Amino acid sequence: MIITRSWLNEWIDLSGISTDELVKTFNSIGLEVDSVTTSSIPQKIVFGRVLECEKHPDADKLNVCKVDLGTGVRQIVCGASNVRAGLDVVVATIGAVMPDGTLIKPVKLRGIESEGMICSAKEIGLADFQSGILELDNSIGKYKIGGEVSQNNIFNDDIIEIELTANRGDCLSIRGIARELSAAFDRTLKDRSIVENEDKRVGIGRIFALSHENNLNVDIRYKAVDFKNLKLPLLVKLRLSQIEEKRESDIESLMEYVTHDSGVVLRAYNHSFFCTKNETLAKASLCQDENGFASIMARENKKASTVGIIQEDASRATNSEGIVLIEASYIPPDIISKQMQSKKMAAGPAYYRTSRGSEPDLDQGLNYCIYFIESNSTSTVFGGTIELCDMHEDKIISVGKKEIDEIVGANIDKAKITKILKNLGFETTKSSADNFIVSVPRFRHDIVNRQDIAEEIVRLIGIDNIPSKPFTFTEDNRLEDDYVNYKKRRTYRHKAAYSGFFETVHFVFDEKKVLEEYGFETIDESKELLNPIVNTLDTLRTTLLSGLLRAASNNSKNGYLSVKLFEVGSVFNSQREESLRMAMLFSGDRESQSLANAGKPLKVDFGFFVQKISNIIGAFELREFKTSHSLSHPFQSACVLIDGEAVGEIFRLHPNVEESYDLGVTYMCELDFEKLPNSLKTANKTSRYQSSYRDLSIVMPKEMPYQKVKSVIEEFATEELVRFYPVDNYSDASLGENTSLSIRFVLQSFDKTLEEEDITKSMDAILDALNNELGIKIR
């Protein structure tokens, strides 16, 4: 939300309050300031008046002007097509240094002396919002010919951009922001009540009729204007450029200006769009369209607009002459958001405002728009209003002063509570000495309970202004599950960091399109987000892998040859049930380039990555496994088991995915954090006698899983066998459909150093079992 200090001053008196103090106040009341820009005009640029304007004798596109600068009349040669006698302008005088560094000095243009420069908006450092030179008018306030432009508050203004959360749609207007300042500084909003003179006006009913269906949850009002000679004031053009809004026509520019000022969503319709040939009575209907949205329809089922979402181009008023219907509308944001979630459609600029909560007081925006038109044109306004109001009940919240004090943590004066709520637009009555009955204004759809009321009090008083109190322990300090879970999470994060991985933290939101593309589970439609922050974060994440991939891709694009990342965070299943997972990623080189590797480090491989994961989570086993998603390489993926229980998956990224994310060889692992071990470590007795090693190469069918071999060895192993693990797998043409698997056995006794006879006995027992159970023999 972009505001300017001078614009705010039209709603609230800011005298004596510096811009720095404004910014600090915004931040303290929860309206985070994103940026502050000062629009300042250099010295020696003054207001002037063109007294005479003649064509240059030797140049068709130049004019020789006599310009009153207050201190005297100067001759200035100007090439602007809109310069003319009687025009008030901005003039850079001799000695002025322009924003681009140009020094203004006397020059001859085609033989004619020129003492200064009549300026355009761009030349004095403003946005290029008007072709030709600036044409001044009384919208910028009083000014004196010869006076410095830098002294005018409209030109020398502070532009403030505020980052609003999605639930504060009431602040998407100058009036809404001023209302917040009214409560913060205890200054009343300026009254802008406009009384219309309806005498001798032709009624709107002569030219427009509206039929409607019931129960559409829409408030809508119409005024009609026969436009003539509309001229947008300089102030409107300047401010629209400051808030970075541009519309195709003057009428639509005016609608945008009043909407930004008041918060009321306004639209302008071409009256003839609703008329049939040779008729002057326009007929429109407000009804539910095929997707369930409230829509304005013309005859022959032509759609003019979907209320609060988008207007059809054919119905827009783009000419500055003729009869125009001006519409003000309001739809509760929760209703329109749910509709858009279930039936998505193209949306126009108005949807951002309506989906977050526009201003429901339609009269104050509509009346100001009509007043503005009458003040800046010779247009004729039709009398009366055609309106449709949806019935709604005021939201009432009962809250006690004691409750507020307990939530705030301080004793707040009752009069101060009442004043804060009143300035914020709440109506309060006292049901008893210490209880408040609060009527929530319709524009504050985010207020639903007494805690919200208390938060408003805290927000306006300021957390720093609440006196600190020492903690009071009312019960014994006991270690609960929360502490155990916190400690477990911290332990695994530290282990990952010690193993060389860097922690990443992402939003719990993700892009649904990406999750569906790679075959991940997504949230059920009935439980999806109603108001996503942005289109690329439109669902709750069901995996940590997509976030790690994006982070790794960004690191790779920034020139990192080795990327090692991990994250511990929440994910959600299709029913929005939350769980905790841990994910790791290793991409590119195993290590940095050095003398030891001759500047050519090896790439990460499956075994290396598995060892890294083992350093973090301890001992585990791998089992053949096919992932349910398409991120993984079809031949390099496995299930991770701890004590026989599946806790996650480990895989190499599919080469196509590596290429799409600009990554080298990449391995990933995602684990169910709650299934990772967190028990106390127990010391086991170890033998003081030397261990012995034996390698056996057995011939087994290629299709036989290693798990079968492992199970037989474990079942028939003697007590001397400490552990065993495969070390090599070999096949060639001579082996046919078989493969040669080499297994290393570690044998040790607690009673003595094993002799060759003991080792041979243990190995023979294993070989006999493999032969009898699986038909496998030594190579």
Side-chain angles (χ1 to χ4, degrees):
M1 175 65 190
I2 302 176
I3 61 175
T4 72
R5 182 185 175 90
S6 68
W7 205 344
L8 272 178
N9 210 54
E10 293 181 5
W11 281 103
I12 183 172
D13 182 10
L14 296 179
S15 57
I17 302 174
S18 68
T19 300
D20 284 344
E21 189 176 353
L22 265 184
V23 170
K24 290 177 182 176
T25 302
F26 282 138
N27 287 328
S28 69
I29 63 177
L31 305 180
E32 184 179 348
V33 174
D34 190 54
S35 66
V36 180
T37 306
T38 298
S39 173
S40 58
I41 307 300
Q43 299 296 308
K44 296 188 177 183
I45 297 179
V46 302
F47 296 111
R49 178 169 294 152
V50 180
L51 302 177
E52 298 177 14
C53 181
E54 303 289 343
K55 285 292 183 182
H56 192 291
D58 294 325
D60 292 339
K61 293 184 179 181
L62 296 180
N63 297 283
V64 181
C65 304
K66 299 295 184 182
V67 184
D68 182 3
L69 299 180
T71 57
V73 177
R74 297 289 183 271
Q75 179 174 277
I76 299 176
V77 178
C78 178
S81 60
N82 61 327
V83 67
R84 59 190 180 275
L87 190 65
D88 284 0
V89 292
V90 171
V91 180
T93 60
I94 302 301
V97 179
M98 307 304 286
D100 64 358
T102 302
L103 174 65
I104 302 300
K105 53 188 177 181
V107 295
K108 274 189 177 183
L109 296 174
R110 293 290 184 93
I112 301 296
E113 295 283 350
S114 181
E115 297 179 282
M117 180 172 72
I118 304 176
C119 302
S120 67
K122 185 177 182 181
E123 287 167 338
I124 61 173
L126 303 176
D128 191 13
F129 61 85
Q130 184 181 42
S131 60
I133 58 173
L134 278 173
E135 300 184 25
L136 303 180
D137 55 40
N138 59 10
S139 68
I140 64 171
K142 293 182 179 180
Y143 57 88
K144 180 181 178 182
I145 298 300
E148 289 277 350
V149 176
S150 61
Q151 299 303 310
N152 184 282
N153 290 335
I154 301 300
F155 288 102
N156 200 56
D157 207 354
D158 292 318
I159 303 167
I160 304 171
E161 185 169 2
I162 298 175
E163 193 73 30
L164 293 177
T165 54
N167 65 330
R168 291 308 305 272
D170 60 298
C171 290
L172 284 172
S173 67
I174 303 297
R175 181 178 187 241
I177 297 292
R179 187 165 45 216
E180 294 286 299
L181 294 179
S182 169
F185 292 118
D186 192 19
R187 297 188 180 189
T188 58
L189 284 178
K190 295 179 181 179
D191 183 27
R192 195 193 266 180
S193 56
I194 298 169
V195 179
E196 286 192 79
N197 182 8
E198 297 284 348
D199 294 343
K200 298 181 181 180
R201 286 185 175 178
V202 176
I204 188 175
R206 298 277 189 91
I207 63 160
F208 182 58
L210 177 69
S211 60
H212 62 86
E213 296 178 1
N214 294 323
N215 303 319
L216 293 178
N217 298 305
V218 172
D219 285 2
I220 201 161
R221 298 188 182 185
Y222 289 93
K223 288 279 191 180
V225 180
D226 189 355
F227 272 94
K228 291 179 183 177
N229 303 318
L230 174 65
K231 183 178 181 182
L232 283 187
L234 175 62
L235 178 66
V236 173
K237 297 177 182 178
L238 173 60
R239 284 180 173 168
L240 287 176
S241 71
Q242 289 171 332
I243 65 173
E244 300 173 4
E245 292 288 350
K246 187 176 181 180
R247 297 292 182 267
E248 293 181 14
S249 67
D250 286 351
I251 292 177
E252 290 185 322
S253 295
L254 177 58
M255 298 301 110
E256 176 60 35
Y257 179 82
V258 177
T259 295
H260 196 85
D261 176 83
S262 66
V264 177
V265 175
L266 298 176
R267 280 181 177 154
Y269 295 91
N270 188 345
H271 174 265
S272 62
F273 179 81
F274 298 95
C275 298
T276 58
K277 192 174 182 180
N278 300 323
E279 284 193 3
T280 58
L281 179 64
K283 293 184 179 180
S285 62
L286 174 63
C287 58
Q288 195 174 76
D289 67 11
E290 66 277 7
N291 294 317
F293 294 99
S295 298
I296 303 297
M297 309 296 291
R299 299 180 190 185
E300 299 177 357
N301 209 30
K302 292 192 301 182
K303 181 180 285 190
S305 71
T306 306
V307 180
I309 298 179
I310 193 168
Q311 181 176 3
E312 301 300 320
D313 289 342
S315 70
R316 290 165 50 196
T318 56
N319 296 322
S320 298
E321 302 286 332
I323 299 178
V324 171
L325 301 172
I326 299 176
E327 172 195 270
S329 65
Y330 172 80
I331 301 181
D334 55 335
I335 291 176
I336 198 168
S337 296
K338 287 178 182 177
Q339 286 178 320
M340 279 291 276
Q341 190 65 30
S342 60
K343 298 282 188 179
K344 291 187 176 180
M345 61 175 290
Y351 176 69
Y352 177 83
R353 194 178 297 272
T354 53
S355 65
R356 280 156 176 76
S358 60
E359 173 59 54
D361 183 5
L362 303 184
D363 277 341
Q364 62 93 10
L366 194 55
N367 290 342
Y368 179 59
C369 181
I370 297 301
Y371 166 78
F372 207 99
I373 292 169
E374 291 186 307
S375 302
N376 295 279
S377 71
T378 58
S379 304
T380 301
V381 178
F382 290 82
T385 305
I386 289 182
E387 60 186 64
L388 171 65
C389 296
D390 181 57
M391 297 297 294
H392 72 278
E393 295 182 1
D394 291 336
K395 191 186 302 179
I396 305 296
I397 297 175
S398 176
V399 60
K401 180 182 180 303
K402 184 179 179 181
E403 291 177 286
I404 293 176
D405 290 345
E406 288 178 350
I407 296 173
V408 173
N411 184 18
I412 309 298
D413 184 70
K414 287 184 287 187
K416 190 166 190 177
I417 293 173
T418 302
K419 181 171 284 187
I420 287 174
L421 293 176
K422 180 182 178 182
N423 288 339
L424 285 172
F426 295 77
E427 292 183 9
T428 60
T429 56
K430 293 181 181 177
S431 60
S432 63
D434 289 325
N435 285 315
F436 296 93
I437 304 298
V438 181
S439 177
V440 180
R442 200 176 182 194
F443 57 80
R444 288 303 303 270
H445 63 278
D446 57 313
I447 304 296
V448 295
N449 53 43
R450 59 191 64 181
Q451 286 80 8
D452 294 331
I453 298 292
E455 286 179 10
E456 291 296 290
I457 305 299
V458 173
R459 189 169 65 86
L460 270 300
I461 290 176
I463 192 71
D464 295 333
N465 297 323
I466 297 174
S468 301
K469 292 182 180 180
F471 285 115
T472 302
F473 291 99
T474 58
E475 62 180 12
D476 293 337
N477 183 19
R478 299 191 298 269
L479 295 181
E480 301 289 350
D481 289 343
D482 288 344
Y483 174 75
V484 174
N485 294 335
Y486 158 75
K487 188 174 180 181
K488 176 183 176 182
R489 187 167 179 169
R490 185 186 67 176
T491 298
Y492 276 95
R493 288 173 58 235
H494 287 180
K495 284 182 177 181
Y498 296 152
S499 298
F501 290 83
F502 294 89
E503 185 171 19
T504 63
V505 179
H506 297 90
F507 287 122
V508 294
F509 308 114
D510 210 333
E511 187 172 2
K512 188 170 186 176
K513 181 176 71 173
V514 173
L515 294 177
E516 291 175 338
E517 178 184 354
Y518 290 113
F520 287 102
E521 180 183 32
T522 57
I523 304 297
D524 281 355
E525 287 294 332
S526 61
K527 298 187 177 183
E528 270 291 10
L529 301 176
L530 292 181
N531 268 321
I533 300 175
V534 291
N535 291 337
T536 53
L537 297 173
D538 59 353
T539 189
L540 292 170
R541 66 182 178 184
T542 56
T543 179
L544 301 179
L545 298 176
S546 56
L548 282 184
L549 263 182
R550 288 192 294 271
S553 179
N554 290 335
N555 278 270
S556 178
K557 290 173 182 176
N558 285 326
Y560 290 94
L561 302 178
S562 179
V563 182
K564 294 165 282 187
L565 303 174
F566 81 93
E567 181 173 6
V568 180
S570 296
V571 298
F572 301 82
N573 65 12
S574 61
Q575 301 304 310
R576 291 184 73 161
E577 295 170 337
E578 184 177 1
S579 60
L580 198 62
R581 291 189 191 174
M582 182 175 190
M584 284 76 72
L585 177 147
F586 200 132
S587 178
D589 296 343
R590 291 188 184 184
E591 57 192 7
S592 300
Q593 297 178 6
S594 64
L595 285 174
N597 55 43
K600 296 180 179 180
L602 296 174
K603 300 294 182 183
V604 61
D605 57 31
F606 196 89
F608 184 82
F609 184 62
V610 167
Q611 183 60 55
K612 283 287 185 181
I613 302 303
S614 179
N615 293 343
I616 299 171
I617 68 172
F620 62 88
E621 297 178 14
L622 296 179
R623 180 180 295 168
E624 185 179 359
F625 176 71
K626 294 292 184 183
T627 63
S628 60
H629 54 79
S630 58
L631 284 184
S632 63
H633 193 293
F635 306 116
Q636 294 192 51
S637 59
C639 178
V640 179
L641 296 96
I642 298 179
D643 295 330
E645 182 182 13
V647 300
E649 60 188 24
I650 187 169
F651 58 87
R652 178 185 168 181
L653 203 60
H654 194 287
N656 292 340
V657 181
E658 290 174 346
E659 182 179 355
S660 65
Y661 280 89
D662 291 329
L663 294 171
V665 176
T666 302
Y667 287 86
M668 303 187 77
C669 175
E670 186 170 39
L671 307 168
D672 185 337
F673 191 77
E674 294 172 0
K675 292 182 179 179
L676 297 182
N678 191 38
S679 57
L680 294 174
K681 302 297 181 184
T682 303
N684 295 320
K685 180 182 177 182
T686 59
S687 174
R688 60 190 179 91
Y689 295 103
Q690 181 180 348
S691 58
S692 300
Y693 295 83
R694 284 292 184 273
D695 290 349
L696 288 181
S697 293
I698 59 175
V699 177
M700 56 185 284
K702 289 181 180 180
E703 288 76 16
M704 181 180 290
Y706 172 69
Q707 183 63 33
K708 280 190 175 183
V709 177
K710 179 174 177 292
S711 298
V712 170
I713 295 175
E714 288 174 339
E715 182 180 353
F716 293 95
T718 62
E719 62 180 10
E720 290 83 12
L721 182 61
V722 177
R723 65 181 183 275
F724 62 95
Y725 50 89
V727 293
D728 188 33
N729 187 20
Y730 171 77
S731 60
D732 59 19
S734 64
L735 293 172
E737 296 299 319
N738 296 324
T739 186
S740 172
L741 179 67
S742 296
I743 304 176
R744 177 161 294 168
F745 297 86
V746 182
L747 301 101
Q748 193 175 30
S749 171
F750 284 97
D751 301 322
K752 63 178 181 177
T753 299
L754 293 176
E755 297 179 358
E756 187 64 32
E757 182 180 350
D758 301 318
I759 297 172
T760 301
K761 183 179 178 181
S762 293
M763 300 308 296
D764 286 344
I766 291 170
L767 286 172
D768 290 342
L770 290 173
N771 186 26
N772 296 333
E773 298 295 322
L774 302 176
I776 294 175
K777 297 182 178 180
I778 192 171
R779 184 180 176 189

